[in-house]
Amino acid sequence: MKTEQERKAIIESINVLLNQAYDSVLDEILAYLQRIDDMEDEEDLQAIKEAREDRRINGTVSWNEYQGYNKETA
C-alpha cells in the first residue's frame, strides 16, 4: 500500500498527463476506469455470494454469540 505522499505524487503525475491528453483519450480512460470499477463490483458481489453460501453450508457463529460462549465457559 502506498503512503499518502506517494499517492499524491502519482495523482499529480496523472493529472499532468490528463491535462495534455486529447479528448478521445480522456473518453477511453474514463471507459477503462468504469470497466475496472464494474469488475471490482462484480468481484465484491461474488465474494458476498460465496460467503453466504459458505455460511449456509458450514454454519456460523456471530461475534456476540462467541463472546457469550466464552463467558459461560470461563
Side-chain angles (χ1 to χ4, degrees), residues 23 28 31 33 35 37 42 44 50 52 54 58-59 65 68:
D23 288 343
E28 289 177 31
L33 292 173
R35 282 195 308 269
D37 191 46
E42 287 176 22
D44 291 344
E50 289 172 3
R52 286 181 178 163
D54 181 61
N58 298 315
E65 290 171 329

Side-chain angles (χ1 to χ4, degrees), residues 3 6 9 13-15 22 27-28 31-32 39-40 42 44-45 47-48 52 55-56 61-63 65 71 74:
T3 66
E6 290 172 323
S13 296
I14 291 170
N15 280 328
Y22 293 111
D27 292 337
E28 289 177 31
Y32 180 72
M39 287 187 309
E40 289 175 348
E42 287 176 22
D44 291 344
L45 289 173
I48 291 169
R52 286 181 178 163
R55 186 179 65 206
R56 185 185 68 77
V61 176
S62 72
W63 178 245
E65 290 171 329
K71 288 178 185 176

Side-chain angles (χ1 to χ4, degrees), residues 5-49:
Q5 187 175 5
E6 290 172 323
R7 288 180 54 82
K8 285 181 181 180
I10 291 171
I11 291 169
E12 287 176 15
S13 296
I14 291 170
N15 280 328
V16 167
L17 294 173
L18 288 175
N19 284 317
Q20 297 172 359
Y22 293 111
D23 288 343
S24 61
V25 173
L26 293 175
D27 292 337
E28 289 177 31
I29 292 169
L30 178 60
Y32 180 72
L33 292 173
Q34 288 172 332
R35 282 195 308 269
I36 291 172
D37 191 46
D38 290 344
M39 287 187 309
E40 289 175 348
D41 288 346
E42 287 176 22
E43 289 171 0
D44 291 344
L45 289 173
Q46 183 62 33
I48 291 169
K49 288 178 185 177

